[in-house]
Amino acid sequence: MSPSKSPSKSPSGLRQRQTASPTPADKDSVSTPSQQAGSRSSKASRYLLVLVSLALSTTYFYLHYHAFSEPYGPDYALCSPNGAKIYTVDADNPKVQCIVVQNGYFVDAGSLGEVKQRWNSVAAVLDANATATSLPVRFIPAGAIIVPGITDSHTHTLEYGFTKVLPLEGTRTVRETVGRIRQYIDSKPDLLADKSKIVEGWGWDHTKWLETTWPSSADLESDPVVAGRPIILQSKDGHALWVSQNILTAMQPLPDEVEGGVIIRDESGQPTGVLLDNAQILANAHRPVPTYEQLQLRFNLTVQDAVAHGLTSVHDAGFDPVSLEFFRRYAEETTLPIRVYGMTHFNESSEYWGDRAQKIMGSSNGRLIARSVKIFADGALRTGGAALYEPYTDNPSTSGFMRIEPEVLKSIIPRFLKDGWQVNVHAIGDRANGLVLDAFEAALQHANVTALRPRLEHAQILAEKDMARFGALGVIASIQPTHATDDMWYAEERLGPERIKSLYAFRSILDHGGRITLGSDMPVEGVNPLAGFYAAITRLTEEGTSPHGPGGWFPEQRMSRMEALKGMTLDPAYASFSDDTLGSISIGKRADYVVFSQDIMTIATEKILQTQVLATVIDGGVVYGSI
């Protein structure tokens, strides 16, 4: 199924195939209308040209430029000096040489000759005195390309910025991680002097330590500077908290069990200081609510990295009440520096709110939308919490767990859909994915499920019987390719040699009619979208390795380059109900685009990650680099 196209389409005479590459003369500025007039030998020919131009410009503007506030010439044209190197992701016009941007919108696309011819004529007619200036034409460097603005379809925006404050990722031992915490405390005189102040951080990953065992509160007490403080540290995947003894004591008495979560205990039954999934809620009362200024810092740190890597939009997979209010206030006070599509978190213990909560449909000049709900079905594969049909191969005592009861899923999902909410569900294990698909099917009698574009966030392990339901229901698979290249090293031990084939089965999802959007799950993975692009088409690590050799891990599940590019541009736009204004370089859409230093669609795969972002552009304006 193709996403709906922009209603603004070019007349057949205005969008032609590229017919010529630019000559050196093409690089000169377009001649002014007065110069054109001077070259004409008779009033009759001039009069005829004006009539033709008037008809051309009138048709052009009325069909395409209804959104523009000023009926005058374009802001600029941007072209490739060596042929059609602009990948539009527009099926009607897939590669062009030039684009024209006016007032933040794409208004034309074609060869350099076509653009010069069309826009000279328009400029001549619009100015009765024939004094309109020529169309400014700029060129990207030779070898560079342009693609539509890139979307990361699954992020934790403020949390990524949080990781930049006290970075814990990349350590090799628990001792090194504790050392990072000490360095942070030492660098903050007020924190060092006051042991009652809470220390928070994000990013530890015990699966990357030399001894892949869970950390403990005792590890935090081993350092004299760190010891005795209230400390709460989020794991890289967001599914575990590591807390100090100070916090553990404050949480007493702890329940024996937590539905949908785990309190890690030692052999004597004492809590060790690690809380999984829903058990993390036990520590929430001891976490201070961040101030607006703190959240602003985190957001700005995220945006800084995002635009530097070519991101123009992010889908935030977890607006809790604090972050929702932050973005609402930010959007009211100023224009967001990047587009944000937010998923409002549904707390399993809360009452249904879909019939009374207000959706945000496009504030901050269309840059903030929050019309979807995010539900957690199960835990994570990394922590053994993904809900499976059969027990884990490496731990037959468990099949993982659901964070929400199947009966609740079948109750609330139809209600949210009936009330017009897009429903996005975190589902990793095959059982969790199957149960969510059951709930979507049950909702068919209440709502047009396909029209509301439901999403499975992660969709990591899928039983064959569930694959076909993606296409039939119109469910979108929101996947993170770099998760595959991370997990491939331990996943078979966890799932066994047969079940592993249904993990990260990108090609199978597409072949069953599913639509895929690509994301990073940052801060679980890095911010660079090209890392996901590379992983999707190679299924290799950045070093070119995999458990199956240099050909890739289950290479039959690779995506094509065009599928991956579409998964970062047009498909995320569809998944956020924005495909009429974003996702492709098409006339009438907002001028979001990225200039890459290399042609990622043709160069050798080992060179893809060497590609630099030369410019990131939102609404026609450069937010990173230059053009």
Side-chain angles (χ1 to χ4, degrees):
M1 181 186 301
S2 297
S4 60
K5 298 292 182 183
S6 168
S8 300
K9 288 295 171 188
S10 182
S12 58
L14 294 181
R15 287 182 69 183
Q16 304 171 9
R17 296 174 59 189
Q18 174 192 342
T19 56
S21 297
T23 63
D26 286 329
K27 297 184 180 181
D28 296 333
S29 296
V30 182
S31 58
T32 65
S34 59
Q35 290 171 326
Q36 293 177 18
S39 67
R40 299 182 182 101
S41 59
S42 70
K43 293 181 179 179
S45 60
R46 181 177 180 180
Y47 182 69
L48 178 61
L49 175 63
V50 170
L51 287 178
V52 172
S53 298
L54 179 60
L56 172 68
S57 62
T58 302
T59 302
Y60 209 51
F61 274 89
Y62 273 94
L63 286 178
H64 303 303
Y65 305 158
H66 55 277
F68 304 147
S69 58
E70 295 292 339
Y72 291 100
D75 293 332
Y76 60 87
L78 187 62
C79 302
S80 167
N82 53 343
K85 290 295 183 180
I86 300 175
Y87 293 86
T88 66
V89 196
D90 182 337
D92 295 335
N93 207 23
K95 288 178 67 177
V96 297
Q97 184 184 6
C98 297
I99 54 176
V100 180
V101 175
Q102 183 183 51
N103 293 345
Y105 288 82
F106 295 118
V107 298
D108 199 2
S111 70
L112 179 60
E114 292 167 343
V115 167
K116 288 172 66 174
Q117 180 182 21
R118 288 199 284 265
W119 288 93
N120 258 348
S121 299
V122 171
V125 172
L126 288 177
D127 193 325
N129 298 317
T131 59
T133 58
S134 61
L135 169 66
V137 179
R138 309 173 190 176
F139 288 86
I140 61 175
I145 65 167
I146 298 174
V147 300
I150 295 176
T151 296
D152 188 321
S153 63
H154 189 108
T155 72
H156 300 279
T157 313
L158 299 177
E159 290 80 357
Y160 177 85
F162 193 5
T163 68
K164 309 293 281 187
V165 178
L166 171 51
L168 296 176
E169 190 175 359
T171 59
R172 300 290 293 168
T173 64
V174 67
R175 183 176 180 179
E176 182 184 350
T177 310
V178 174
R180 289 262 188 102
I181 301 165
R182 175 173 180 155
Q183 290 173 8
Y184 174 74
I185 295 171
D186 282 338
S187 70
K188 307 286 184 182
D190 58 331
L191 189 61
L192 181 64
D194 187 352
K195 279 206 166 188
S196 68
K197 287 190 173 183
I198 192 164
V199 178
E200 294 187 272
W202 191 302
W204 59 272
D205 184 0
H206 73 292
T207 68
K208 298 295 177 64
W209 294 343
L210 297 176
E211 294 184 4
T212 56
T213 56
W214 291 109
S216 69
S217 56
D219 293 320
L220 297 172
E221 299 302 313
S222 65
D223 185 285
V225 173
V226 178
R229 297 175 182 272
I231 300 174
I232 300 178
L233 307 170
Q234 189 77 59
S235 65
K236 177 182 176 182
D237 64 5
H239 287 267
L241 283 181
W242 172 18
V243 302
S244 64
Q245 186 59 50
N246 183 300
I247 296 294
L248 269 181
T249 301
M251 288 165 50
Q252 298 296 332
L254 290 172
D256 293 334
E257 294 183 354
V258 176
E259 185 174 351
V262 175
I263 301 171
I264 300 291
R265 299 178 185 272
D266 61 22
E267 294 179 354
S268 65
Q270 295 301 308
T272 63
V274 174
L275 311 169
L276 305 183
D277 290 298
N278 283 0
Q280 297 176 95
I281 297 171
L282 300 172
N284 283 350
H286 307 283
R287 306 179 80 166
V289 177
T291 66
Y292 180 78
E293 290 71 26
Q294 288 174 320
L295 295 177
Q296 232 178 354
L297 171 62
R298 297 174 190 179
F299 182 49
N300 291 339
L301 288 171
T302 300
V303 170
Q304 178 180 302
D305 281 4
V307 297
H309 288 89
L311 292 176
T312 57
S313 303
V314 294
H315 295 180
D316 193 297
F319 273 8
D320 60 22
V322 174
S323 56
L324 176 61
E325 181 54 33
F326 165 76
F327 280 107
R328 192 191 304 273
R329 177 179 167 184
Y330 198 113
E332 289 173 352
E333 294 180 354
T334 186
T335 300
L336 291 174
I338 194 170
R339 303 190 193 281
V340 178
Y341 182 77
M343 311 175 201
T344 302
H345 175 59
F346 176 76
N347 187 330
E348 301 90 79
S349 61
S350 68
E351 295 181 357
Y352 178 75
W353 45 257
D355 54 351
R356 60 184 184 275
Q358 186 176 7
K359 304 178 185 74
I360 301 174
M361 302 300 286
S363 65
S364 191
N365 191 28
R367 293 192 182 185
L368 177 64
I369 300 173
R371 55 162 301 172
S372 64
V373 60
K374 168 73 176 299
I375 301 169
F376 278 90
D378 65 345
L381 182 65
R382 187 185 298 267
T383 53
L388 307 178
Y389 283 121
E390 301 295 334
Y392 281 86
T393 301
D394 62 345
N395 186 7
S397 66
T398 181
S399 299
F401 50 82
M402 295 291 292
R403 289 181 58 168
I404 188 169
E405 290 297 322
E407 294 75 19
V408 178
L409 278 177
K410 284 190 176 181
S411 170
I412 62 169
I413 285 179
R415 292 183 69 184
F416 273 115
L417 291 168
K418 184 179 179 181
D419 286 324
W421 291 84
Q422 182 190 44
V423 177
N424 305 338
V425 186
H426 165 111
I428 289 182
D430 50 11
R431 179 170 178 257
N433 279 288
L435 288 170
V436 176
L437 290 168
D438 289 344
F440 285 143
E441 279 190 342
L444 287 171
Q445 58 185 309
H446 304 285
N448 185 338
V449 174
T450 300
L452 290 165
R453 309 181 187 185
R455 298 168 48 159
L456 278 170
E457 303 298 321
H458 309 304
Q460 286 184 7
I461 313 170
L462 295 164
E464 183 65 29
K465 64 181 181 179
D466 293 326
M467 286 279 190
R469 295 200 281 175
F470 274 88
L473 292 169
V475 176
I476 300 162
S478 174
I479 66 171
Q480 298 75 45
T482 48
H483 283 352
T485 51
D486 262 3
D487 295 355
M488 63 185 178
W489 300 102
Y490 70 85
E492 184 167 344
E493 179 183 351
R494 189 152 293 179
L495 298 174
E498 288 303 314
R499 191 166 41 181
I500 191 69
K501 297 174 184 177
S502 65
L503 177 65
Y504 299 111
F506 306 154
R507 172 58 47 198
S508 296
I509 294 173
L510 292 169
D511 289 347
H512 281 87
R515 188 191 298 265
I516 283 179
T517 69
L518 305 186
S520 66
D521 203 8
M522 65 172 171
V524 180
E525 303 289 349
V527 68
N528 186 4
L530 289 184
F533 179 87
Y534 169 84
I537 68 173
T538 67
R539 295 175 72 92
L540 294 167
T541 65
E542 295 183 6
E543 295 74 31
T545 61
S546 84
H548 295 166
W553 184 61
F554 292 109
E556 66 276 11
Q557 295 292 347
R558 291 179 298 196
M559 298 173 69
S560 72
R561 296 194 198 209
M562 186 50 68
E563 287 167 341
L565 180 61
K566 188 167 173 277
M568 301 191 305
T569 54
L570 189 57
D571 284 333
Y574 174 85
S576 58
F577 302 88
S578 304
D579 49 309
D580 58 338
T581 58
L582 300 172
S584 64
I585 297 174
S586 305
I587 291 176
K589 290 192 176 184
R590 290 184 178 270
D592 291 6
Y593 62 90
V594 182
V595 183
F596 281 128
S597 63
Q598 300 186 95
D599 189 345
I600 62 170
M601 306 302 287
T602 61
I603 60 174
T605 55
E606 60 268 22
K607 295 181 179 179
I608 288 174
L609 295 178
Q610 300 169 16
T611 304
Q612 302 296 312
V613 173
L614 301 182
T616 303
V617 178
I618 300 177
D619 284 334
V622 177
V623 296
Y624 174 82
S626 61
I627 56 173

